[in-house]
Amino acid sequence: MAKITKNLIKVDSLEWCYRELPVSGEQPQTVILLHGLPAQSLMWRGLMPSLAEQGIRTIAPDWIGFGNSCKPENRDFAYTPDAFVAAFARMVDSLSIDRFSLVIQGFLGTVGIQYAIRYPDRIDKLVILNAPLTTGAKLPWKLTQLGLPIAGEMLVQDPLSVERTLEAGSKSAIEDEYLEIYRKPYLKSSAPGRSLLATIRNLRLAQSLTEITMGLPQLDLPIQIIWGINDPWLDLAQAQASVKSLKQGELVTLSTAAHYPQEHCYAEIKASLLPFLHRRQN
């Protein structure tokens, strides 16, 4: 089995880092995995080998401002949902990916849903893991405080804030070797903290959720919602409400997972995700 590689690609003025697990074959099915706040592509490490074993090429980028992707200043990148969608669209084009399935998770993962709504012809299937889906969803205090004046500016420069947030959302401890990787960018410079601050302050969640609640029901493609029911920040009820509005939707619940199910429960995700990805469309 090939190993996950870390790659860099410069698109316009932005440098993206992405993890990839390639597979053999001329035209393998491609899946792009998009992380939420305040994570990075490392969070997909458990799921990527399972997909590759089934002949699926996986690509997991670090969002601009996160992980090992570039951290531009506000004057060079707006950190709004529109800016993230546009940058992601150009990155996908630069990788010469025509059609793909998209797996997203969490806050900021909502940008991936907005991409699917705006570019439906590029998406084969959409998978949503614990992300805000209805207009009533709110940014949890654990994330909100990272964007506060003065206090937020201090918190985002504390490397421990990221790991505390990830473990609070997971409701489980994360192994030290992985916490070190999540923490590392914040130890190297102040730029990751400034990017996180800018992202939270420009998240425009209410506006994004309006687009999502109106646009998702219009997508005529298979959509699977996988939900960790122990999520401390998002209620299962919104996933249940959302799936009822979909043309081709299904809901899978994970009894032991929380807000970041891919961190600890990738085996349970695989059990429903792989059959869904392999299922032939009508």
CSV table of all heavy atoms in Angstrom, one decimal, residues 122-172:
chain,number,residue,atom,x,y,z
A,122,ARG,N,-19.6,19.4,-11.3
A,122,ARG,CA,-18.3,18.8,-10.9
A,122,ARG,C,-18.4,17.7,-9.9
A,122,ARG,O,-17.4,17.0,-9.6
A,122,ARG,CB,-17.4,19.9,-10.4
A,122,ARG,CG,-17.3,21.2,-11.3
A,122,ARG,CD,-16.6,20.8,-12.6
A,122,ARG,NE,-15.2,20.4,-12.5
A,122,ARG,CZ,-14.2,21.3,-12.4
A,122,ARG,NH1,-14.4,22.6,-12.5
A,122,ARG,NH2,-13.0,20.8,-12.4
A,123,ILE,N,-19.6,17.6,-9.3
A,123,ILE,CA,-19.7,16.7,-8.1
A,123,ILE,C,-20.5,15.4,-8.5
A,123,ILE,O,-21.6,15.5,-9.0
A,123,ILE,CB,-20.5,17.4,-6.9
A,123,ILE,CG1,-19.8,18.7,-6.6
A,123,ILE,CG2,-20.6,16.5,-5.7
A,123,ILE,CD1,-18.4,18.5,-6.0
A,124,ASP,N,-19.9,14.3,-8.2
A,124,ASP,CA,-20.6,13.0,-8.3
A,124,ASP,C,-21.5,12.7,-7.1
A,124,ASP,O,-22.6,12.4,-7.3
A,124,ASP,CB,-19.5,11.8,-8.5
A,124,ASP,CG,-18.9,11.8,-9.8
A,124,ASP,OD1,-19.6,12.1,-10.8
A,124,ASP,OD2,-17.7,11.5,-9.9
A,125,LYS,N,-20.9,12.8,-5.9
A,125,LYS,CA,-21.6,12.5,-4.7
A,125,LYS,C,-21.1,13.4,-3.6
A,125,LYS,O,-19.9,13.9,-3.7
A,125,LYS,CB,-21.5,11.0,-4.3
A,125,LYS,CG,-22.1,10.1,-5.3
A,125,LYS,CD,-21.8,8.6,-4.9
A,125,LYS,CE,-22.5,7.7,-5.9
A,125,LYS,NZ,-22.2,6.3,-5.6
A,126,LEU,N,-22.0,13.8,-2.7
A,126,LEU,CA,-21.6,14.7,-1.6
A,126,LEU,C,-21.8,14.0,-0.3
A,126,LEU,O,-22.9,13.4,-0.1
A,126,LEU,CB,-22.4,15.9,-1.7
A,126,LEU,CG,-22.3,17.0,-0.5
A,126,LEU,CD1,-20.9,17.5,-0.5
A,126,LEU,CD2,-23.3,18.1,-0.7
A,127,VAL,N,-20.9,14.0,0.6
A,127,VAL,CA,-20.9,13.4,1.9
A,127,VAL,C,-20.7,14.5,3.0
A,127,VAL,O,-19.7,15.2,2.9
A,127,VAL,CB,-19.9,12.3,2.1
A,127,VAL,CG1,-20.1,11.7,3.5
A,127,VAL,CG2,-20.1,11.2,1.0
A,128,ILE,N,-21.6,14.6,3.9
A,128,ILE,CA,-21.5,15.7,5.0
A,128,ILE,C,-21.4,15.0,6.3
A,128,ILE,O,-22.2,14.3,6.7
A,128,ILE,CB,-22.7,16.6,4.9
A,128,ILE,CG1,-22.9,17.2,3.5
A,128,ILE,CG2,-22.7,17.6,6.0
A,128,ILE,CD1,-24.2,17.9,3.3
A,129,LEU,N,-20.3,15.4,7.0
A,129,LEU,CA,-20.1,14.9,8.4
A,129,LEU,C,-20.2,16.1,9.4
A,129,LEU,O,-19.4,17.0,9.3
A,129,LEU,CB,-18.7,14.3,8.6
A,129,LEU,CG,-18.4,12.9,8.1
A,129,LEU,CD1,-18.5,12.8,6.5
A,129,LEU,CD2,-17.0,12.4,8.5
A,130,ASN,N,-21.2,16.0,10.2
A,130,ASN,CA,-21.3,17.0,11.3
A,130,ASN,C,-20.9,18.4,10.9
A,130,ASN,O,-19.9,18.9,11.3
A,130,ASN,CB,-20.5,16.5,12.5
A,130,ASN,CG,-21.1,15.3,13.2
A,130,ASN,OD1,-21.0,14.2,12.7
A,130,ASN,ND2,-21.7,15.5,14.4
A,131,ALA,N,-21.8,19.0,10.2
A,131,ALA,CA,-21.6,20.4,9.7
A,131,ALA,C,-22.9,21.1,9.9
A,131,ALA,O,-24.0,20.5,9.9
A,131,ALA,CB,-21.2,20.4,8.3
A,132,PRO,N,-22.9,22.4,10.2
A,132,PRO,CA,-24.1,23.2,10.3
A,132,PRO,C,-24.9,23.1,9.0
A,132,PRO,O,-24.4,23.4,7.9
A,132,PRO,CB,-23.7,24.6,10.7
A,132,PRO,CG,-22.3,24.7,10.1
A,132,PRO,CD,-21.7,23.3,10.3
A,133,LEU,N,-26.2,22.8,9.1
A,133,LEU,CA,-27.1,22.6,7.9
A,133,LEU,C,-28.3,23.4,7.9
A,133,LEU,O,-29.0,23.5,6.9
A,133,LEU,CB,-27.4,21.1,7.8
A,133,LEU,CG,-26.2,20.2,7.5
A,133,LEU,CD1,-26.7,18.7,7.6
A,133,LEU,CD2,-25.6,20.5,6.2
A,134,THR,N,-28.7,24.0,9.0
A,134,THR,CA,-29.9,24.8,9.1
A,134,THR,C,-29.6,26.2,9.6
A,134,THR,O,-28.6,26.4,10.2
A,134,THR,CB,-31.0,24.2,10.0
A,134,THR,OG1,-30.5,24.1,11.3
A,134,THR,CG2,-31.3,22.7,9.5
A,135,THR,N,-30.5,27.1,9.3
A,135,THR,CA,-30.3,28.5,9.6
A,135,THR,C,-30.2,28.8,11.1
A,135,THR,O,-29.8,29.8,11.6
A,135,THR,CB,-31.3,29.5,9.0
A,135,THR,OG1,-32.6,29.0,9.3
A,135,THR,CG2,-31.1,29.5,7.4
A,136,GLY,N,-30.7,27.8,11.9
A,136,GLY,CA,-30.7,28.0,13.3
A,136,GLY,C,-29.4,27.6,14.0
A,136,GLY,O,-29.2,27.9,15.2
A,137,ALA,N,-28.5,27.0,13.2
A,137,ALA,CA,-27.2,26.6,13.8
A,137,ALA,C,-26.3,27.8,14.1
A,137,ALA,O,-26.3,28.8,13.4
A,137,ALA,CB,-26.4,25.7,12.8
A,138,LYS,N,-25.6,27.7,15.2
A,138,LYS,CA,-24.8,28.8,15.7
A,138,LYS,C,-23.3,28.3,15.9
A,138,LYS,O,-23.1,27.1,16.1
A,138,LYS,CB,-25.3,29.3,17.1
A,138,LYS,CG,-26.7,29.8,17.1
A,138,LYS,CD,-26.9,31.0,16.2
A,138,LYS,CE,-28.3,31.5,16.3
A,138,LYS,NZ,-28.6,32.7,15.4
A,139,LEU,N,-22.4,29.2,15.8
A,139,LEU,CA,-21.0,28.9,16.0
A,139,LEU,C,-20.9,28.6,17.5
A,139,LEU,O,-21.3,29.5,18.3
A,139,LEU,CB,-20.1,30.0,15.6
A,139,LEU,CG,-18.6,29.7,15.5
A,139,LEU,CD1,-18.3,28.8,14.3
A,139,LEU,CD2,-17.8,31.0,15.3
A,140,PRO,N,-20.3,27.5,17.9
A,140,PRO,CA,-20.2,27.2,19.4
A,140,PRO,C,-19.2,28.2,20.1
A,140,PRO,O,-18.3,28.8,19.4
A,140,PRO,CB,-19.6,25.8,19.4
A,140,PRO,CG,-18.9,25.6,18.1
A,140,PRO,CD,-19.7,26.4,17.1
A,141,TRP,N,-19.4,28.4,21.4
A,141,TRP,CA,-18.6,29.3,22.1
A,141,TRP,C,-17.1,29.0,22.0
A,141,TRP,O,-16.3,29.9,21.9
A,141,TRP,CB,-19.0,29.3,23.6
A,141,TRP,CG,-18.1,30.1,24.5
A,141,TRP,CD1,-17.3,29.7,25.4
A,141,TRP,CD2,-17.9,31.5,24.4
A,141,TRP,NE1,-16.6,30.7,26.0
A,141,TRP,CE2,-17.0,31.9,25.4
A,141,TRP,CE3,-18.5,32.5,23.6
A,141,TRP,CZ2,-16.6,33.2,25.6
A,141,TRP,CZ3,-18.1,33.8,23.8
A,141,TRP,CH2,-17.1,34.1,24.8
A,142,LYS,N,-16.8,27.7,21.9
A,142,LYS,CA,-15.4,27.3,21.9
A,142,LYS,C,-14.7,27.9,20.7
A,142,LYS,O,-13.5,28.2,20.7
A,142,LYS,CB,-15.3,25.7,21.8
A,142,LYS,CG,-14.0,25.2,22.2
A,142,LYS,CD,-13.7,25.3,23.7
A,142,LYS,CE,-12.4,24.7,24.1
A,142,LYS,NZ,-12.1,24.9,25.6
A,143,LEU,N,-15.5,28.0,19.6
A,143,LEU,CA,-14.9,28.7,18.4
A,143,LEU,C,-15.2,30.2,18.4
A,143,LEU,O,-14.3,30.9,17.9
A,143,LEU,CB,-15.5,28.0,17.1
A,143,LEU,CG,-15.2,26.5,16.8
A,143,LEU,CD1,-16.0,26.0,15.7
A,143,LEU,CD2,-13.7,26.4,16.6
A,144,THR,N,-16.3,30.6,18.9
A,144,THR,CA,-16.6,32.0,18.9
A,144,THR,C,-15.6,32.8,19.6
A,144,THR,O,-15.2,33.9,19.2
A,144,THR,CB,-18.0,32.2,19.5
A,144,THR,OG1,-19.0,31.6,18.7
A,144,THR,CG2,-18.4,33.7,19.6
A,145,GLN,N,-15.1,32.3,20.7
A,145,GLN,CA,-14.2,33.0,21.6
A,145,GLN,C,-12.9,33.3,20.9
A,145,GLN,O,-12.1,34.2,21.2
A,145,GLN,CB,-13.9,32.3,22.9
A,145,GLN,CG,-13.3,31.0,22.8
A,145,GLN,CD,-13.1,30.3,24.1
A,145,GLN,OE1,-13.2,30.9,25.1
A,145,GLN,NE2,-12.9,29.0,24.1
A,146,LEU,N,-12.5,32.4,19.9
A,146,LEU,CA,-11.3,32.6,19.1
A,146,LEU,C,-11.3,33.8,18.2
A,146,LEU,O,-10.3,34.3,17.7
A,146,LEU,CB,-11.0,31.4,18.3
A,146,LEU,CG,-10.8,30.1,19.1
A,146,LEU,CD1,-10.5,28.9,18.1
A,146,LEU,CD2,-9.6,30.2,20.1
A,147,GLY,N,-12.5,34.4,18.0
A,147,GLY,CA,-12.7,35.6,17.1
A,147,GLY,C,-13.0,36.8,17.9
A,147,GLY,O,-13.2,37.9,17.3
A,148,LEU,N,-13.0,36.8,19.2
A,148,LEU,CA,-13.3,37.9,20.0
A,148,LEU,C,-12.2,39.0,20.0
A,148,LEU,O,-11.1,38.7,19.9
A,148,LEU,CB,-13.6,37.5,21.5
A,148,LEU,CG,-14.8,36.6,21.8
A,148,LEU,CD1,-14.8,36.2,23.2
A,148,LEU,CD2,-16.1,37.4,21.4
A,149,PRO,N,-12.6,40.3,20.1
A,149,PRO,CA,-11.6,41.3,20.2
A,149,PRO,C,-10.7,41.1,21.4
A,149,PRO,O,-11.2,40.7,22.5
A,149,PRO,CB,-12.4,42.6,20.4
A,149,PRO,CG,-13.7,42.3,19.8
A,149,PRO,CD,-14.0,40.8,20.1
A,150,ILE,N,-9.4,41.3,21.3
A,150,ILE,CA,-8.4,41.2,22.4
A,150,ILE,C,-8.3,39.7,22.8
A,150,ILE,O,-7.2,39.1,22.7
A,150,ILE,CB,-8.7,42.1,23.6
A,150,ILE,CG1,-8.8,43.6,23.0
A,150,ILE,CG2,-7.6,42.0,24.6
A,150,ILE,CD1,-9.2,44.6,24.1
A,151,ALA,N,-9.3,39.2,23.4
A,151,ALA,CA,-9.3,37.8,24.0
A,151,ALA,C,-9.0,36.8,22.8
A,151,ALA,O,-8.1,35.9,23.0
A,151,ALA,CB,-10.5,37.4,24.7
A,152,GLY,N,-9.7,36.9,21.7
A,152,GLY,CA,-9.5,36.1,20.6
A,152,GLY,C,-8.1,36.2,20.0
A,152,GLY,O,-7.4,35.2,19.7
A,153,GLU,N,-7.6,37.4,19.9
A,153,GLU,CA,-6.3,37.7,19.4
A,153,GLU,C,-5.2,37.0,20.3
A,153,GLU,O,-4.1,36.6,19.7
A,153,GLU,CB,-6.0,39.2,19.3
A,153,GLU,CG,-6.9,39.8,18.2
A,153,GLU,CD,-7.0,41.3,18.4
A,153,GLU,OE1,-6.3,41.9,19.2
A,153,GLU,OE2,-7.8,41.9,17.6
A,154,MET,N,-5.4,36.9,21.5
A,154,MET,CA,-4.5,36.2,22.4
A,154,MET,C,-4.7,34.7,22.3
A,154,MET,O,-3.7,33.9,22.2
A,154,MET,CB,-4.7,36.6,23.9
A,154,MET,CG,-4.4,38.1,24.1
A,154,MET,SD,-4.9,38.6,25.8
A,154,MET,CE,-3.9,37.6,26.8
A,155,LEU,N,-5.9,34.2,22.3
A,155,LEU,CA,-6.2,32.8,22.2
A,155,LEU,C,-5.6,32.1,21.0
A,155,LEU,O,-5.1,31.0,21.0
A,155,LEU,CB,-7.7,32.5,22.4
A,155,LEU,CG,-8.3,32.7,23.7
A,155,LEU,CD1,-9.8,32.6,23.7
A,155,LEU,CD2,-7.8,31.6,24.7
A,156,VAL,N,-5.8,32.8,19.8
A,156,VAL,CA,-5.3,32.1,18.6
A,156,VAL,C,-3.8,32.0,18.5
A,156,VAL,O,-3.3,31.3,17.7
A,156,VAL,CB,-5.8,32.9,17.3
A,156,VAL,CG1,-7.4,32.8,17.3
A,156,VAL,CG2,-5.4,34.3,17.3
A,157,GLN,N,-3.1,32.7,19.4
A,157,GLN,CA,-1.6,32.6,19.4
A,157,GLN,C,-1.2,31.6,20.5
A,157,GLN,O,0.0,31.4,20.6
A,157,GLN,CB,-1.0,34.0,19.7
A,157,GLN,CG,-1.3,35.0,18.6
A,157,GLN,CD,-0.8,34.6,17.3
A,157,GLN,OE1,0.2,33.8,17.2
A,157,GLN,NE2,-1.4,35.1,16.2
A,158,ASP,N,-2.1,31.0,21.1
A,158,ASP,CA,-1.8,29.9,22.1
A,158,ASP,C,-2.0,28.6,21.4
A,158,ASP,O,-3.1,28.2,21.1
A,158,ASP,CB,-2.7,30.0,23.3
A,158,ASP,CG,-2.5,28.9,24.4
A,158,ASP,OD1,-1.5,28.2,24.2
A,158,ASP,OD2,-3.3,28.9,25.3
A,159,PRO,N,-0.9,27.9,21.2
A,159,PRO,CA,-1.0,26.6,20.5
A,159,PRO,C,-1.9,25.6,21.2
A,159,PRO,O,-2.5,24.7,20.5
A,159,PRO,CB,0.5,26.1,20.4
A,159,PRO,CG,1.3,27.3,20.6
A,159,PRO,CD,0.5,28.2,21.5
A,160,LEU,N,-2.0,25.7,22.5
A,160,LEU,CA,-2.9,24.8,23.2
A,160,LEU,C,-4.4,25.0,22.9
A,160,LEU,O,-5.2,24.1,23.1
A,160,LEU,CB,-2.6,24.9,24.7
A,160,LEU,CG,-1.2,24.5,25.2
A,160,LEU,CD1,-1.1,24.7,26.7
A,160,LEU,CD2,-0.9,23.1,24.8
A,161,SER,N,-4.7,26.2,22.4
A,161,SER,CA,-6.1,26.5,22.2
A,161,SER,C,-6.7,25.6,21.1
A,161,SER,O,-7.8,25.1,21.1
A,161,SER,CB,-6.3,28.0,21.7
A,161,SER,OG,-6.0,28.8,22.8
A,162,VAL,N,-5.9,25.3,20.1
A,162,VAL,CA,-6.3,24.5,19.0
A,162,VAL,C,-6.6,23.1,19.5
A,162,VAL,O,-7.6,22.5,19.2
A,162,VAL,CB,-5.3,24.5,17.8
A,162,VAL,CG1,-5.6,23.4,16.8
A,162,VAL,CG2,-5.2,25.8,17.2
A,163,GLU,N,-5.6,22.5,20.2
A,163,GLU,CA,-5.8,21.1,20.6
A,163,GLU,C,-7.0,21.0,21.6
A,163,GLU,O,-7.7,20.0,21.6
A,163,GLU,CB,-4.5,20.5,21.2
A,163,GLU,CG,-4.0,21.2,22.4
A,163,GLU,CD,-2.6,20.7,22.8
A,163,GLU,OE1,-1.6,20.9,22.0
A,163,GLU,OE2,-2.5,20.0,23.8
A,164,ARG,N,-7.1,22.0,22.5
A,164,ARG,CA,-8.2,22.0,23.4
A,164,ARG,C,-9.6,22.0,22.7
A,164,ARG,O,-10.5,21.3,23.1
A,164,ARG,CB,-8.2,23.2,24.4
A,164,ARG,CG,-7.0,23.1,25.4
A,164,ARG,CD,-7.1,24.2,26.4
A,164,ARG,NE,-5.9,24.3,27.2
A,164,ARG,CZ,-5.1,25.4,27.2
A,164,ARG,NH1,-5.3,26.4,26.5
A,164,ARG,NH2,-4.0,25.4,28.0
A,165,THR,N,-9.6,22.8,21.6
A,165,THR,CA,-10.9,22.9,20.8
A,165,THR,C,-11.1,21.6,20.1
A,165,THR,O,-12.3,21.1,20.1
A,165,THR,CB,-10.8,24.0,19.8
A,165,THR,OG1,-10.5,25.3,20.5
A,165,THR,CG2,-12.0,24.1,19.0
A,166,LEU,N,-10.1,21.0,19.5
A,166,LEU,CA,-10.3,19.7,18.8
A,166,LEU,C,-10.7,18.6,19.8
A,166,LEU,O,-11.6,17.8,19.5
A,166,LEU,CB,-9.0,19.3,18.1
A,166,LEU,CG,-8.6,20.2,17.0
A,166,LEU,CD1,-7.2,19.8,16.4
A,166,LEU,CD2,-9.6,20.2,15.9
A,167,GLU,N,-10.1,18.5,21.0
A,167,GLU,CA,-10.5,17.5,22.0
A,167,GLU,C,-11.9,17.8,22.6
A,167,GLU,O,-12.6,16.8,22.8
A,167,GLU,CB,-9.4,17.4,23.0
A,167,GLU,CG,-8.1,16.8,22.5
A,167,GLU,CD,-7.1,16.5,23.6
A,167,GLU,OE1,-7.1,17.2,24.6
A,167,GLU,OE2,-6.4,15.5,23.5
A,168,ALA,N,-12.2,19.1,22.7
A,168,ALA,CA,-13.6,19.4,23.2
A,168,ALA,C,-14.6,18.9,22.3
A,168,ALA,O,-15.7,18.4,22.6
A,168,ALA,CB,-13.7,20.9,23.5
A,169,GLY,N,-14.4,19.2,21.0
A,169,GLY,CA,-15.4,18.8,19.9
A,169,GLY,C,-15.4,17.3,19.8
A,169,GLY,O,-16.5,16.7,19.5
A,170,SER,N,-14.3,16.6,19.9
A,170,SER,CA,-14.2,15.1,19.8
A,170,SER,C,-14.7,14.4,21.0
A,170,SER,O,-15.1,13.2,21.0
A,170,SER,CB,-12.7,14.7,19.6
A,170,SER,OG,-12.2,15.2,18.4
A,171,LYS,N,-14.7,15.1,22.2
A,171,LYS,CA,-15.1,14.5,23.5
A,171,LYS,C,-14.2,13.3,23.8
A,171,LYS,O,-14.6,12.4,24.4
A,171,LYS,CB,-16.6,14.2,23.5
A,171,LYS,CG,-17.5,15.3,23.3
A,171,LYS,CD,-19.0,15.0,23.4
A,171,LYS,CE,-19.4,14.9,24.8
A,171,LYS,NZ,-20.9,14.7,25.0
A,172,SER,N,-13.0,13.4,23.2
A,172,SER,CA,-12.0,12.3,23.5
A,172,SER,C,-10.6,12.9,23.3
A,172,SER,O,-10.4,13.9,22.7
A,172,SER,CB,-12.1,11.2,22.5
A,172,SER,OG,-13.4,10.5,22.6
